[in-house]
Amino acid sequence: QVQLVESGGGLVQPGGSLRLSCTASGSIFEINKMEWYRQAPGKERELVAAIATAGSTNYADSVKGRFTISRGDAKNTVHLQMDSLKPEDTAVYYCYAAIRSRAYATYFGYWGRGTQVTVSS
């Protein structure tokens, strides 16, 4: 079994910052990409940021220059540093990772349960 657990969400004023973290645990041989998604009420889930094993990153246009994704030293953790937050960033943020449990196995996608981020004055 593999679990992803997010942390770091909360309430912040516009212009403020939050740092989200996601840790993968369980039967893990290798983690490929790790990503952050978000879903606001009444909207579809959207990709916010992604980081590959080699470290390349990409971001949604709406967060470029404000959010930074990074992997932890242990490689089973991913962070999302969110600066200059706006009310439209309010959403539940989900961690996603492509993981295989043994060598040469297929990668499967796993989701965390999400953490609420609310940007409001």
Side-chain angles (χ1 to χ4, degrees):
Q1 283 284 11
V2 172
Q3 284 189 322
L4 298 181
V5 178
E6 302 102 335
S7 61
L11 173 64
V12 64
Q13 292 186 341
S17 297
L18 282 175
R19 180 177 171 86
L20 305 183
S21 296
C22 171
T23 299
S25 63
S27 181
I28 298 171
F29 176 78
E30 184 179 14
I31 299 176
N32 190 353
K33 59 181 176 179
M34 298 188 81
E35 301 174 337
W36 286 97
Y37 288 74
R38 67 185 181 188
Q39 187 167 19
K43 295 188 176 181
E44 293 186 353
R45 191 172 296 189
E46 63 173 352
L47 177 64
V48 176
I51 185 166
T53 303
S56 60
T57 59
N58 64 73
Y59 298 91
D61 288 343
S62 59
V63 306
K64 281 181 181 177
R66 300 188 298 121
F67 290 12
T68 303
I69 189 170
S70 61
R71 296 281 286 265
D73 291 340
K75 303 302 181 185
N76 66 328
T77 299
V78 63
H79 306 288
L80 186 68
Q81 178 66 40
M82 304 186 295
D83 299 318
S84 303
L85 283 161
K86 305 175 181 179
E88 50 263 44
D89 294 318
T90 296
V92 178
Y93 284 70
Y94 297 90
C95 177
Y96 171 89
I99 296 171
R100 59 182 177 182
S101 297
R102 60 186 185 278
Y104 310 113
T106 301
Y107 286 97
F108 286 97
Y110 295 89
W111 292 92
R113 292 188 175 184
T115 184
Q116 176 70 46
V117 171
T118 302
V119 184
S120 175
S121 55

